[in-house]
Amino acid sequence: MYATTLFVVLGLCATALVNAIPVSHPFSHNAFSKRAGNGKAVFAHFMMGNAFPYTQQDFEDDVKLASASGIDAFALNIGTDDWQPGHVKMAYDAAAASGTGFKMFISFDMTVLPCGSPADAAALRNYVTTYADHPAQFKYDGRVFASTFSGEKCSFGSGSPQNGWKSQFYSQLNGNVFFVPALFADPGSFPSWSGAMDGVFNWNAGWPVDLTSSKVSSILGGVGLHLGPLVKAALNTASQTLAKFVGSTDSDQSCINGLKGLSASGAKAYMTSVSPWFFTHYGADSFNKNFIYYADSHLYNTRWESVIQNRDEFDLVEVLTWNDYGESHYIAPVKGAQPNSQAWVDGNAHDGWLDMTNYYATAFKTGKYPEIAQDALYAWARPTSTNANAPDPVGKPTNADTMTDAMWVAVFSTAPARCNQAPTSPHSRLYHARYPHS
């Protein structure tokens, strides 16, 4: 018997944590029966562009850490840097040398890779054929697995994206690729991609991307609240109200429905995503992106639970990300090179999310939550208030006012337990980890 519970503490790490508001547990932990031969796997998105200083030993260290955390393969996001092909080889060789059975596959970043000519498609095919027989290549349905970030506008000189991917990439690999791209396209268009892909990766499912400032304001207005500082019961109400959007699988269902009309020569696969966070703060003079996605309401835990509850419809899961520092959703220890993100990365370790990953990944793959062998408590919070202004000309990130000045806590206990929160003030609150699994 074991239990987990989640609660939120009002205030930030640097403040006196006086008020602690217990949040009703949003999850129902059911035991599922494992389906034979379902091929379920969990991946982590690896930004090769942030790995310039890596040696093969660095890759092997990451492989061993990821494998121990329930991750089965890295999705290697590759771009146009001339050094990246050599690093891809190091990554594959490191996985093979690790002795863990860990795998790799290529995720083509089509926001930077050229895709206007047949020669551009040939460069992508070369990655597939180069690693087709490598012992560390992840395969699905007996074929080389490959994915993308974007690509829905790439035609490779063939008139349309669907025809471009079909005639210049997929067909020329003669049935040796299992292609699951992340297309930012209407799921109703998926049938038109028949013959060009075997499934789809729902990249944005990892965050409640629709929870913008205006929508959150409207939702909270419906329960008598408003954007801004929340205290005591108001924080509890707001968290519970927004948690159902955090745990929603509506976008997953839209993609699954779209795939029903996709014709494939073999198996089809739906790959969804989970992520703990999203913050980016670049001005117009660099990457020109300055926004957040709502990440309160125990985003990582809540999203994982939704995925596990719907595991019969989800074949694969990709964690976003292993090391994307620029968007703050890294779960691994910080190493390698940063894309000028030091201001919001340095000193902000996310290792707790990595530690939690094995628990949820195991439940997704096996259909049963694992026993908790040691009591653990994880807490996270932003170090600055939503009212703070950055000491730069970039300005506040879009949707910053949707976030709450609070500490989020997850307790993993070996048995039903009592959790006593004792802040620096004379006050304290008692919580019960009272949600057993079986």
Side-chain angles (χ1 to χ4, degrees):
M1 184 73 70
Y2 52 98
T4 62
T5 192
L6 309 178
F7 59 89
V8 56
V9 180
L10 184 67
L12 298 173
C13 292
T15 66
L17 304 180
V18 177
N19 297 301
I21 298 91
V23 177
S24 297
H25 197 286
F27 314 135
S28 58
H29 297 273
N30 300 316
F32 297 87
S33 298
K34 184 177 180 181
R35 296 187 303 167
N38 59 22
K40 294 191 185 300
V42 173
F43 314 130
H45 202 77
F46 185 101
M47 301 297 293
M48 188 59 75
N50 293 341
F52 176 71
Y54 268 47
T55 63
Q56 183 166 322
Q57 186 60 55
D58 288 317
F59 281 112
E60 187 169 341
D61 291 344
D62 279 13
V63 162
K64 290 179 178 177
L65 179 59
S67 180
S69 302
I71 297 168
D72 301 298
F74 281 152
L76 299 178
N77 177 296
I78 61 166
T80 57
D81 297 313
D82 58 8
W83 54 265
Q84 288 197 25
H87 276 53
V88 169
K89 183 179 187 304
M90 281 198 294
Y92 270 84
D93 290 346
S98 71
T100 62
F102 196 83
K103 304 299 183 183
M104 301 281 175
F105 65 88
I106 303 299
S107 178
F108 301 109
D109 192 334
M110 302 313 301
T111 64
V112 295
L113 289 167
C115 57
S117 72
D120 295 332
L124 306 186
R125 297 197 310 270
N126 183 59
Y127 273 104
V128 175
T129 56
T130 295
Y131 294 100
D133 295 323
H134 196 285
Q137 173 62 52
F138 181 79
K139 294 186 177 182
Y140 195 89
D141 197 35
R143 292 176 276 165
V144 176
F145 191 88
S147 186
T148 72
F149 176 75
S150 194
E152 67 281 352
K153 296 180 180 179
C154 293
S155 65
F156 302 105
S158 298
S160 71
Q162 292 91 332
N163 189 56
W165 282 105
K166 180 178 180 179
S167 64
Q168 300 301 319
F169 179 75
Y170 193 90
S171 295
Q172 294 200 36
L173 288 167
N174 300 314
N176 292 322
V177 66
F178 194 95
F179 189 44
V180 182
L183 301 178
F184 298 95
D186 180 358
S189 70
F190 291 169
S192 68
W193 289 80
S194 295
M197 67 182 191
D198 302 287
V200 74
F201 174 29
N202 188 351
W203 178 277
N204 276 342
W207 308 276
V209 296
D210 292 334
L211 284 184
T212 60
S213 293
S214 59
K215 185 166 183 177
V216 170
S217 179
S218 176
I219 293 168
L220 293 182
V223 293
L225 300 176
H226 57 83
L227 284 178
L230 297 171
V231 296
K232 296 185 178 179
L235 177 57
N236 188 32
T237 301
S239 180
Q240 291 185 52
T241 301
L242 296 174
K244 63 183 179 182
F245 295 93
V246 173
S248 172
T249 56
D250 288 350
S251 73
D252 295 294
Q253 198 57 57
S254 293
C255 288
I256 291 168
N257 289 339
L259 284 176
K260 291 177 180 177
L262 179 77
S263 297
S265 58
K268 290 192 289 187
Y270 173 65
M271 182 159 68
T272 193
S273 57
V274 297
S275 187
W277 208 251
F278 193 114
F279 167 94
T280 188
H281 187 65
Y282 292 105
D285 59 342
S286 58
F287 296 111
N288 195 27
K289 55 182 186 178
N290 182 36
F291 62 96
I292 68 155
Y293 290 143
Y294 181 84
D296 285 353
S297 301
H298 297 95
L299 170 63
Y300 199 51
N301 311 79
T302 304
R303 175 60 184 165
W304 263 117
E305 290 282 349
S306 294
V307 168
I308 293 164
Q309 288 176 356
N310 293 276
R311 67 185 294 275
D312 283 345
E313 295 188 272
F314 300 169
D315 301 296
L316 306 164
V317 175
E318 190 164 317
V319 178
L320 305 177
T321 58
W322 183 258
N323 64 337
D324 192 333
Y325 309 121
E327 295 181 353
S328 307
H329 41 63
Y330 55 95
I331 64 171
V334 177
K335 63 185 286 189
Q338 290 193 45
N340 295 320
S341 55
Q342 288 86 344
W344 58 88
V345 171
D346 286 358
N348 294 307
H350 292 177
D351 303 19
W353 286 324
L354 176 62
D355 204 31
M356 285 188 274
T357 299
N358 192 29
Y359 176 74
Y360 292 115
T362 299
F364 172 72
K365 289 185 285 186
T366 67
K368 186 176 181 179
Y369 287 92
E371 291 291 331
I372 296 173
Q374 183 177 359
D375 294 335
L377 182 150
Y378 304 94
W380 59 98
R382 289 171 293 100
T384 55
S385 171
T386 56
N387 296 321
N389 291 305
D392 57 44
V394 180
K396 283 188 177 183
T398 300
N399 301 321
D401 55 355
T402 64
M403 303 290 274
T404 302
D405 289 345
M407 175 181 288
W408 302 88
V409 181
V411 177
F412 290 70
S413 58
T414 54
R418 296 183 301 173
C419 306
N420 187 26
Q421 179 267 326
T424 55
S425 78
H427 305 286
S428 66
R429 294 290 293 272
L430 187 66
Y431 306 91
H432 293 273
R434 60 187 184 278
Y435 301 97
H437 306 259
S438 58

